[in-house]
Amino acid sequence: MKTLATLTLTLAILVSGCITQANQQVEAGTMMDQLYASIENQDWDTALSLYGKRFYKQMSKQEWKERLQTLRSELGHIKSRTVNFTQRDTKYRYDAYIFSFSVQYEKGKTKDLITIYKAVDGKGLHIVAHRINRIKIKS
């Protein structure tokens, strides 16, 4: 009976340790702060470094840099960013953190949907998807 109790307690500690270690929601949120600060400051090297290889299979770094530069030059400074929702999707081999933002610029507004990926056995967090939808403002 003692052996069963010890085994149960050991498994509970191991499982809770794995769950806690894998949850990096705070770090993912900090990464979002860093992304938008780098876009605001036009620090394209920092912004581009947050995206992973998976993202760049869809589009080259140069193409994405040009899109971000165009967005920033056309819409101006970021005035505010509001979180619409966040979601954590945990699978056996990875965690995904999904963020939805409404971003108010000087000359317009966007709704952004960003997915950050963290493989359980991988190195760090990186952005794997980023969709930017411009919101048309009625005149």
Side-chain angles (χ1 to χ4, degrees), residues 21-133:
Q21 185 177 19
N23 186 353
Q24 294 185 319
Q25 186 77 37
V26 173
E27 292 85 351
T30 300
M31 182 185 233
M32 294 296 86
D33 294 340
Q34 186 179 14
L35 173 66
Y36 284 99
S38 62
I39 291 171
E40 172 60 24
N41 296 322
Q42 299 181 41
D43 179 1
W44 307 119
D45 290 337
T46 299
L48 297 173
S49 73
L50 300 173
Y51 295 85
K53 291 178 185 175
R54 242 170 109 177
F55 182 85
Y56 291 122
K57 285 182 182 178
Q58 302 167 33
M59 176 183 310
S60 74
K61 276 188 179 183
Q62 184 60 37
E63 288 174 303
W64 187 241
K65 179 181 179 180
E66 289 170 7
R67 286 191 185 191
L68 292 176
Q69 287 174 324
T70 299
L71 177 79
R72 177 65 170 75
S73 68
E74 290 179 0
L75 297 182
H77 292 282
I78 296 173
K79 292 172 64 177
S80 65
R81 175 173 47 104
T82 305
V83 178
N84 298 321
F85 72 84
T86 64
Q87 178 180 328
R88 178 176 171 225
D89 185 13
T90 304
K91 302 292 183 200
Y92 175 69
R93 307 280 299 155
Y94 68 88
D95 283 346
Y97 303 93
I98 303 163
F99 292 84
S100 171
F101 297 105
S102 293
V103 185
Q104 182 66 54
Y105 292 84
E106 286 178 311
K107 303 173 196 169
K109 184 176 183 179
T110 64
K111 290 215 180 230
D112 297 10
L113 185 64
I114 302 171
T115 302
I116 298 173
Y117 181 89
K118 167 69 168 103
V120 174
D121 58 353
K123 298 178 184 174
L125 299 163
H126 54 274
I127 299 170
V128 295
H130 187 170
R131 186 173 63 191
I132 302 171
N133 293 319

